[in-house]
Amino acid sequence: MNKDGSAENMVSIKDVAKHANVSISAVSKTLNGYSDVSEATRQKILKAAQELNYSPNMLAKNLKHKKTRTIALIISNFEQTSGKDGVMFQIMSGVYAAATKYDYEVVIYTRSLSEQQDRSYWQFCKDHKIAGVVISGLRTTDPYFEELVESDIPCIVIDAHTVGPHTGSVITDNLLAARQAVQYLISKGHCEIGMVNGHKYATVSISREQGYREALEQAGMPFIANRVIEANFSEEKAYELTEAYLNDNPQLTAVFVASDLMAIGFMNRCKELGLRIPEDISIMGFDDIVLSSYTTPKLSTVCQDFASIGFTALEQVVKMLEDNLPGYHKILPFKIVDRESIKTL
């Protein structure tokens, strides 16, 4: 406490950014000594910090010189995800298994878009005394996406291809997996194939759509733009879009859906519309969540090993911390699981 009884460090990095009329990221970079901030901006930030009597937590700033065994699993945009698919639980179990193996502590944080804007990635990690990070659910438009590449804190991103001196990623080969999934539909005799995708800000969505396109092109089939719709990885959104989508594309015999949860919503609406699966329309999902083997009919899909993804992500962070290795991109295998939702024509 100060002499007047007030708490120390009540001024935040957000206050400094507002006072200097710059971004939180610019303040964070300046205070952390990055060189990609102009001298004029740097002086303005330092002046604002002095005027506000801002003093960063020196213990946190010096953490990079000390040993700490805390690795954070940061779940970005958690409020937009669903626990119904069990994906995050599987990732968490893999992260925990690796942490146990290598004798590290894991703490779990959720960060919304507004929280990322309020406090920079670097400051968040330093304030919580974090040695390394595994981050999941990050969108390419999120403030942390650019910040973490420039950070000196070892970080592995799940489901996004990003590499920097202290940043790497773990991901399934989404392009190849999507291509093989659509090729599998083609091998079953399907020539009119649509796609329900996630959203354009997800690296996996971009790759899966590219795989869909490539499979069609390699088979000599045209890519038709209105056969691809986005349902934001939401079961409910896929359900809502299904009727209009099928009315616009009555010739489709099969649909590749970029997540099992969306596929379940799509299947449910199809059945309400009187369509039989797979007799009237075949459906291929992606993820192989637990629910996919309990649908009627059981869903054919692309299997990802989410526990392995989580384990590998934390293991890479440990290697970066202990062996001083640079970040790198790790691609994990997948497999096609054929159950009951695809008909041979």
Side-chain angles (χ1 to χ4, degrees), residues 64-105:
K64 64 181 179 180
H65 302 298
K66 300 182 179 183
K67 294 291 184 181
T68 175
R69 301 192 71 80
T70 300
I71 296 177
L73 170 60
I74 299 177
I75 305 171
S76 180
N77 302 301
F78 184 68
E79 70 279 3
Q80 299 173 14
T81 64
S82 170
K84 189 173 183 178
D85 58 16
V87 169
M88 188 50 61
F89 175 79
Q90 294 178 61
I91 290 174
M92 288 167 59
S93 68
V95 166
Y96 178 74
T100 300
K101 177 180 178 179
Y102 292 104
D103 192 27
Y104 275 79
E105 177 186 34

Side-chain angles (χ1 to χ4, degrees), residues 72-239:
L73 170 60
I74 299 177
I75 305 171
S76 180
N77 302 301
F78 184 68
E79 70 279 3
Q80 299 173 14
T81 64
S82 170
K84 189 173 183 178
D85 58 16
V87 169
M88 188 50 61
F89 175 79
Q90 294 178 61
I91 290 174
M92 288 167 59
S93 68
V95 166
Y96 178 74
T100 300
K101 177 180 178 179
Y102 292 104
D103 192 27
Y104 275 79
E105 177 186 34
V106 175
V107 289
I108 300 173
Y109 297 100
T110 59
R111 302 297 289 164
S112 67
L113 176 60
S114 61
E115 288 171 328
Q116 291 183 43
Q117 292 170 333
D118 285 345
R119 185 159 46 158
S120 73
Y121 169 77
W122 176 84
Q123 188 185 23
F124 177 81
C125 292
K126 294 301 184 183
D127 287 351
H128 289 85
K129 305 177 184 179
I130 294 168
V133 172
V134 173
I135 189 166
S136 179
L138 199 64
R139 295 182 178 220
T140 57
T141 53
D142 286 347
Y144 281 8
F145 191 83
E146 181 179 351
E147 286 184 53
L148 60 86
V149 176
E150 301 170 342
S151 173
D152 60 351
I153 302 166
C155 176
I156 295 296
V157 184
I158 291 175
D159 274 351
H161 190 167
T162 178
V163 176
H166 303 283
T167 308
S169 48
V170 174
I171 197 169
T172 299
D173 193 334
N174 286 279
L175 190 153
L176 180 61
R179 187 169 68 212
Q180 289 190 10
V182 177
Q183 287 173 337
Y184 188 78
L185 291 170
I186 294 170
S187 74
K188 294 293 186 178
H190 295 276
C191 299
E192 306 291 342
I193 304 169
M195 180 181 184
V196 178
N197 206 354
H199 59 75
K200 61 184 178 181
Y201 300 116
T203 300
V204 296
S205 294
I206 297 169
S207 297
R208 290 172 195 176
E209 183 172 336
Q210 182 62 29
Y212 165 78
R213 285 172 176 255
E214 289 184 5
L216 296 179
E217 291 170 1
Q218 290 175 8
M221 300 176 185
F223 170 79
I224 302 173
N226 71 345
R227 289 187 177 181
V228 178
I229 59 172
E230 295 182 348
N232 200 33
F233 295 105
S234 165
E235 177 185 1
E236 292 76 15
K237 187 67 174 177
Y239 175 93

Side-chain angles (χ1 to χ4, degrees), residues 95 133-134 156 158 170 308-318:
V95 166
V133 172
V134 173
I156 295 296
I158 291 175
V170 174
S308 180
I309 289 173
F311 186 97
T312 303
L314 189 131
E315 186 175 56
Q316 283 188 241
V317 173
V318 171

Side-chain angles (χ1 to χ4, degrees), residues 32-91:
N32 200 28
Y34 286 109
S35 59
D36 58 342
V37 178
S38 70
E39 181 61 22
T41 299
R42 191 178 77 86
Q43 290 298 332
K44 185 162 60 171
I45 290 169
L46 293 176
K47 181 181 178 182
Q50 184 177 22
E51 289 174 351
L52 294 176
N53 197 28
Y54 175 72
S55 177
N57 187 317
M58 295 309 296
L59 175 62
K61 285 182 70 66
N62 290 331
L63 266 180
K64 64 181 179 180
H65 302 298
K66 300 182 179 183
K67 294 291 184 181
T68 175
R69 301 192 71 80
T70 300
I71 296 177
L73 170 60
I74 299 177
I75 305 171
S76 180
N77 302 301
F78 184 68
E79 70 279 3
Q80 299 173 14
T81 64
S82 170
K84 189 173 183 178
D85 58 16
V87 169
M88 188 50 61
F89 175 79
Q90 294 178 61
I91 290 174

